[in-house]
Amino acid sequence: MKAERFTIIAIRHGETEWNRIGKAQNQLDSPLTMEGKRQMHNVGRYLATQKSLTLNAIYTSQLGRAISSAKTIARYLKVPVISQMELSEFDSEQQRRTMAIQWIQRISRHHNNENPILLLGHGDWIKTLASLGTPKQIIETPNNGEILRIDIEI
């Protein structure tokens, strides 16, 4: 059986009030700062200029900071925002890994491999996802508004 390969464009949500002071948020939420909103507008404008990039939706967690960030970018790309429980912030690496694997398996069944998947997520979740990539990427937690390309093979 031939392995399927697809690309995920992963973006960490914009800076929040708690990010600014170094407080962990996990399942709690704090609003985006003005800088966080600016970051998401910049990402949206940048992605909108990438004419070779065809996206069908933005997948994000159910937490407010991620949804707010995704909605800002979606206005530039004119795509829907789809929030999914598996993409939420989890305390343990094992929980994140389990949820990431489940999400990859589910999304791969419904995805056209020609176009990348846009994921707007949380720093440690994206770090975990990168470790599942092909090739495996060992990265630091991405900065707010950082864009990463992760290739997945299943």
Side-chain angles (χ1 to χ4, degrees):
M1 184 172 171
K2 184 180 176 188
E4 291 190 42
R5 190 176 181 109
F6 58 93
T7 298
I8 297 172
I9 297 172
I11 303 165
R12 185 174 178 198
H13 62 75
E15 179 190 70
T16 67
E17 296 291 340
W18 286 9
N19 288 144
R20 180 172 275 168
I21 62 172
K23 184 176 180 179
Q25 295 171 99
N26 299 321
Q27 290 290 324
L28 302 175
D29 237 335
S30 70
L32 297 181
T33 61
M34 290 304 291
E35 174 63 13
K37 292 174 184 177
R38 185 190 66 73
Q39 290 167 339
M40 294 302 98
H41 282 286
N42 287 344
V43 168
R45 280 192 290 273
Y46 169 75
L47 291 175
T49 66
Q50 304 306 300
K51 300 302 179 196
S52 64
L53 187 63
T54 301
L55 301 165
N56 300 322
I58 299 174
Y59 294 90
T60 191
S61 85
Q62 297 175 329
L63 296 172
R65 60 192 180 269
I67 291 173
S68 177
S69 295
K71 284 182 176 179
T72 298
I73 294 169
R75 285 195 293 271
Y76 290 93
L77 302 178
K78 299 179 181 18
V79 297
V81 172
I82 301 170
S83 66
Q84 298 180 319
M85 185 278 300
E86 298 101 321
L87 301 176
S88 292
E89 188 106 68
F90 295 97
D91 293 335
S92 79
E93 171 69 23
Q94 185 56 47
Q95 282 179 301
R96 285 190 299 273
R97 187 174 185 78
T98 299
M99 288 299 177
I101 290 168
Q102 287 177 8
W103 183 74
I104 289 167
Q105 290 170 341
R106 184 162 60 91
I107 202 77
S108 68
R109 289 192 297 268
H110 306 287
H111 180 67
N112 167 356
N113 294 351
E114 294 175 16
N115 299 329
I117 295 169
L118 184 57
L119 165 71
L120 193 296
H122 303 282
D124 285 339
W125 206 101
I126 293 170
K127 181 179 175 180
T128 299
L129 183 65
S131 75
L132 299 171
T134 308
K136 179 178 180 175
Q137 298 177 47
I138 307 300
I139 63 169
E140 295 297 318
T141 300
N143 295 319
N144 296 104
E146 188 173 344
I147 302 170
L148 297 167
R149 176 192 169 122
I150 302 169
D151 291 315
I152 301 288
E153 190 172 289
I154 55 168

